[in-house]
């Protein structure tokens, strides 16, 4: 079949979903309607966002997907003749295909939303038992990306065992364990045999049968051990429950993901959920940390705010060239990881004070982040000798990722006062020797 050429066969060891044109090799960049508008979505809001993505220069730095989340269809049911989901004629007067044409005309791509159950999370028609039809419909409309949620799963599709997801299993528990879990999976259980995996693979195969590349984003909230099988199913998979417009939830998700980064590499990414930059109670410092860590963990970066009112300083955060380059690096696929927890002892699972010192390798050099999880100013100390990638030297060329300014050749490391919940970050380039001019650390 011609169609099967769209998906290259699974590779030994990797077992990833490989799509044409390298789609899904790197984390997706885009915008989604949910965090800004929830169910209150229509074509004018979608097109306003798409136009802002162009106008604000977000398209120029790589943001490409404009994703419609839940509530885009006629809630009462499918077309009785064709069984297709019907786009809401009031919200989307030109149909989803009409919106898709307009988005494609801007040089952007369009995403849609459904659920691996009998209803979407807001109770609209969803794709279980209609996977082939819906995938074909989405392809006909010109869809490029599918977010596939986990609501209204019929009982006969339940998993035999319960997965330990600390936040969803009655936690928090020490170190992310779930000691009181009813019916836990036996040690070494292969979650790729689960009914959850089957539900998501049916839609994967339906998408692959289309003559159109549709990036597949699984959203099962980290359940059913998805980090262990997501690479064979989708380009990305949500590794936790939903984010909220507040710091407590953002930092809780950062903590959970910091323990789950082994499953991230080219072609398959833990999705830490869509960005809340610009939303709710998050301060500028919190938005910087949120974006820096989502980029460093190689999560998809899907903006979720009303771009027409996003202030310039936060637009600049979303466009930070060092963080985007790290997230989109085509040579190094692994995320940054913690090298020191800081406030807490190493490997402490703590939802309010997670790992604070992180590093990761990229084409441009080593990215080092230091984050203040406390509720008052604190001094962070980055010592080159503690950063695994920098063990070989004591003097390095350093660039501040927020100001873009070179600090020149820096010996030993950097002490810096960091305000509550903010993150400082440096791109560490070449080693430098005694012959280079030494620029002193910034004043405390
Ligand atoms: C996912 O699969 C791809 C392609 O086979 C592979 O390069 C990558 O390393 C895999 N990810 C992990 C975490 O093993
Ligand atoms: C259902 O599909 C048929 C055949 O394409 C079409 O004529 C009809 O208008 C559709 N009904 C709705 C409510 O969209
Ligand atoms: C899948 O669901 C069926 C029907 O409910 C159940 O019998 C079976 O144990 C489940 N399989 C797994 C692997 O969880
Ligand atoms: C698949 O799509 C391509 C590009 O849109 C088109 O050229 C080709 O004819 C299609 N193939 C089939 C079998 O429909
Ligand atoms: C968490 O696990 C690490 C190593 O696996 C251990 O050193 C640490 O003491 C544990 N912390 C708690 C609070 O149990
Ligand atoms: C998390 O860490 C902070 C800082 O060490 C500590 O005050 C807090 O009690 C910890 N939380 C839990 C639930 O252990
Ligand atoms: C940071 O400050 C402390 C206290 O002044 C000092 O001992 C340490 O050497 C400094 N570290 C670096 C990397 O400059
Ligand atoms: C916290 O640090 C910032 C600079 O990062 C400074 O402007 C502010 O005055 C400090 N606040 C306190 C309470 O020291």
């Amino acid at each position: 079949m011609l169609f099967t050429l769209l998906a290259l066969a699974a590779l030994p060891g990797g077992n990833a979903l490989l799509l044409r044109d390298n789609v899904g090799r790197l984390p997706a960049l885009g915008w989604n309607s949910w965090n800004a508008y929830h169910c209150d979505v229509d074509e004018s809001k979608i097109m306003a966002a798409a136009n802002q993505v162009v106008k604000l220069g977000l398209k120029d730095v790589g943001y490409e997907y404009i994703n419609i989340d839940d509530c885009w269809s006629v809630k009462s049911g499918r077309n009785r003749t064709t069984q297709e989901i019907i786009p809401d004629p009031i919200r989307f007067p030109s149909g989803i295909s009409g919106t898709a044409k307009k988005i494609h005309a801007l040089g952007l791509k369009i995403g849609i939303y459904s659920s691996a159950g009998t209803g979407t999370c807001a109770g609209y028609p969803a794709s279980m038992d209609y996977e082939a039809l819906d995938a074909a419909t989405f392809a006909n409309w010109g869809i490029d990306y599918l977010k596939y949620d986990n609501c209204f799963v019929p009982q006969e599709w339940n998993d035999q065992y319960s997965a330990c997801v600390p936040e969803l299993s009655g936690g928090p528990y020490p170190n992310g364990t779930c000691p009181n879990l009813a019916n836990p999976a036996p040690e070494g259980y292969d979650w790729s045999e689960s009914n959850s995996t089957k539900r998501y693979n049916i839609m994967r195969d339906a998408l692959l049968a289309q003559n159109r590349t549709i990036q597949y984003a699984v959203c099962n909230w980290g359940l059913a051990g998805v980090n262990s099988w997501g690479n064979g199913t989708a380009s990305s998979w949500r590794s936790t429950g939903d984010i909220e417009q507040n710091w407590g939830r953002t930092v809780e998700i950062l903590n959970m993901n910091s323990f789950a980064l082994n499953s991230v590499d080219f072609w398959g990414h833990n999705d830490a959920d869509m960005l809340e930059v610009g939303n709710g109670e998050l301060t500028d410092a919190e938005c910087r940390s949120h974006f820096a860590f989502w980029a460093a963990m190689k999560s998809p970066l899907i903006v979720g705010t009303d771009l027409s009112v996003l202030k310039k300083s936060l637009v600049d955060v979303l466009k930070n060239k060092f963080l985007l380059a790290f997230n989109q690096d085509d040579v190094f696929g692994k995320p940054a990881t913690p090298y020191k927890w800081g406030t807490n002892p190493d490997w402490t699972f703590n939802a309010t004070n997670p790992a604070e010192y992180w590093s990761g390798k990229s084409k441009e050099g080593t990215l080092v982040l230091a984050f203040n999880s406390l509720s008052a100013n604190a001094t962070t100390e980055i010592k080159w000798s503690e950063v695994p990638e920098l063990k070989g030297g004591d003097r390095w060329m350093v660039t501040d990722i927020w100001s873009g300014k070179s600090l020149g050749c820096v010996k030993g490391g950097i002490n810096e006062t960091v305000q509550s919940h903010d993150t400082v970050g440096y791109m560490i380039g070449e080693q430098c020797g005694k012959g280079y001019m030494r620029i002193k650390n910034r004043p405390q």
Side-chain angles (χ1 to χ4, degrees):
M1 287 283 292
L2 256 182
F3 295 164
T4 55
L5 290 175
L6 284 174
L8 309 182
L11 295 180
N15 197 32
L17 178 68
L18 304 183
L19 299 178
R20 207 158 56 179
D21 302 326
N22 277 341
V23 168
R25 183 170 182 261
L26 303 176
L29 301 180
W31 181 92
N32 172 294
S33 53
W34 187 259
N35 288 351
Y37 304 119
H38 296 95
C39 230
D40 186 15
V41 67
D42 58 29
E43 187 184 78
S44 69
K45 288 194 174 103
I46 298 296
M47 289 315 303
N51 284 308
Q52 286 292 336
V53 164
V54 175
K55 189 175 151 199
L56 297 173
L58 291 163
K59 181 188 171 208
D60 292 336
V61 297
Y63 292 88
E64 61 176 337
Y65 289 99
I66 305 297
N67 296 344
I68 307 170
D69 208 281
D70 208 346
C71 311
W72 56 267
S73 70
V74 169
K75 196 170 186 180
S76 55
R78 293 171 175 263
N79 184 311
R80 291 214 192 95
T81 313
T82 64
Q83 300 300 316
E84 286 178 10
I85 302 180
I86 309 163
D88 185 313
I90 295 168
R91 294 171 182 231
F92 292 91
S94 57
I96 300 297
S97 62
T99 310
K101 282 201 189 82
K102 292 175 193 169
I103 286 176
H104 289 152
L106 294 173
L108 297 167
K109 295 177 175 175
I110 181 169
I112 199 84
Y113 165 97
S114 187
S115 174
T118 57
T120 69
C121 295
Y124 290 71
S127 298
M128 177 173 267
D129 297 334
Y130 295 93
E131 290 89 348
L133 174 65
D134 288 356
T137 305
F138 297 155
N140 285 339
W141 289 346
I143 292 295
D144 305 297
Y145 183 111
L146 173 66
K147 171 179 168 182
Y148 206 42
D149 218 329
N150 196 34
C151 284
F152 290 99
V153 180
Q155 207 183 335
E156 67 266 25
W157 280 94
N158 282 354
D159 291 323
Q160 182 181 359
Y161 298 115
S162 323
C164 173
V165 178
E167 53 164 354
L168 299 175
S169 311
Y173 298 112
N175 273 359
T177 59
C178 304
N180 303 320
L181 198 64
N183 203 16
E187 185 81 10
Y189 177 65
D190 181 2
W191 279 104
S192 72
E193 292 168 6
S194 68
N195 287 333
S196 287
T197 313
K198 280 191 198 131
R199 282 188 292 121
Y200 282 95
N201 283 352
I202 294 171
M203 184 51 102
R204 171 199 63 187
D205 294 340
L207 294 173
L208 290 175
Q210 309 308 315
N211 184 19
R212 184 172 185 87
T213 305
I214 301 180
Q215 178 155 183
Y216 187 32
V218 161
C219 176
N220 81 328
W221 320 319
L223 289 165
V226 65
N227 294 348
S228 68
W229 51 267
N231 208 23
T233 297
S235 301
S236 66
W237 50 89
R238 282 274 303 283
S239 44
T240 67
D242 287 359
I243 196 168
E244 292 161 16
Q245 304 186 341
N246 61 68
W247 177 246
R249 183 60 184 152
T250 306
V251 75
E252 184 180 13
I253 288 178
L254 173 61
N255 175 55
M256 287 184 281
N257 275 287
S258 72
F259 288 86
L261 293 167
N262 284 340
S263 48
V264 180
D265 200 346
F266 290 129
W267 296 107
H269 297 97
N270 294 357
D271 178 351
D273 205 359
M274 303 175 292
L275 297 167
E276 294 284 13
V277 171
N279 294 341
E281 302 160 6
L282 290 175
T283 65
D284 286 12
E286 291 165 351
C287 287
R288 276 190 291 273
S289 294
H290 175 25
F291 186 76
F293 282 107
W294 265 232
M297 295 191 295
K298 307 228 181 200
S299 173
L301 299 174
I302 308 291
V303 177
T305 198
D306 178 353
L307 290 170
S308 69
V309 295
L310 186 64
K311 59 186 179 186
K312 165 93 170 53
S313 57
L314 293 180
V315 173
D316 290 344
V317 167
L318 298 177
K319 288 165 71 173
N320 184 279
K321 67 176 181 180
F322 296 95
L323 293 169
L324 286 173
F326 186 87
N327 183 266
Q328 297 290 302
D329 197 304
D330 61 0
V331 173
F332 295 91
K334 299 249 184 232
T337 53
Y339 67 85
K340 188 171 77 172
W341 263 244
T343 294
N344 281 317
D346 287 353
W347 299 106
T348 303
F349 188 93
N350 181 301
T352 51
N353 302 79
E356 296 173 326
Y357 293 85
W358 296 56
S359 66
K361 212 168 172 180
S362 76
K363 279 197 296 195
E364 328 268 321
T366 296
L367 175 69
V368 180
L369 300 175
F371 151 63
N372 174 9
S373 71
L374 302 170
S375 48
N377 283 1
T379 300
T380 59
E381 183 184 20
I382 298 170
K383 291 187 199 170
W384 302 155
S385 60
E386 289 180 346
V387 179
E389 293 85 353
L390 305 179
K391 286 267 159 74
D394 192 41
R395 294 160 188 260
W396 298 88
M397 294 300 294
V398 176
T399 306
D400 181 322
I401 64 163
W402 295 122
S403 70
K405 289 201 178 108
S406 171
L407 307 190
C409 185
V410 179
K411 179 174 159 33
I414 295 177
N415 278 327
E416 174 112 30
T417 301
V418 182
Q419 55 176 300
S420 170
H421 302 170
D422 207 350
T423 293
V424 289
Y426 303 97
M427 189 54 78
I428 316 296
E430 302 284 311
Q431 266 196 67
C432 41
K434 290 188 174 132
Y436 289 80
M437 187 171 65
R438 188 173 143 204
I439 296 178
K440 283 171 68 177
N441 291 349
R442 287 199 257 171
Q444 300 300 302

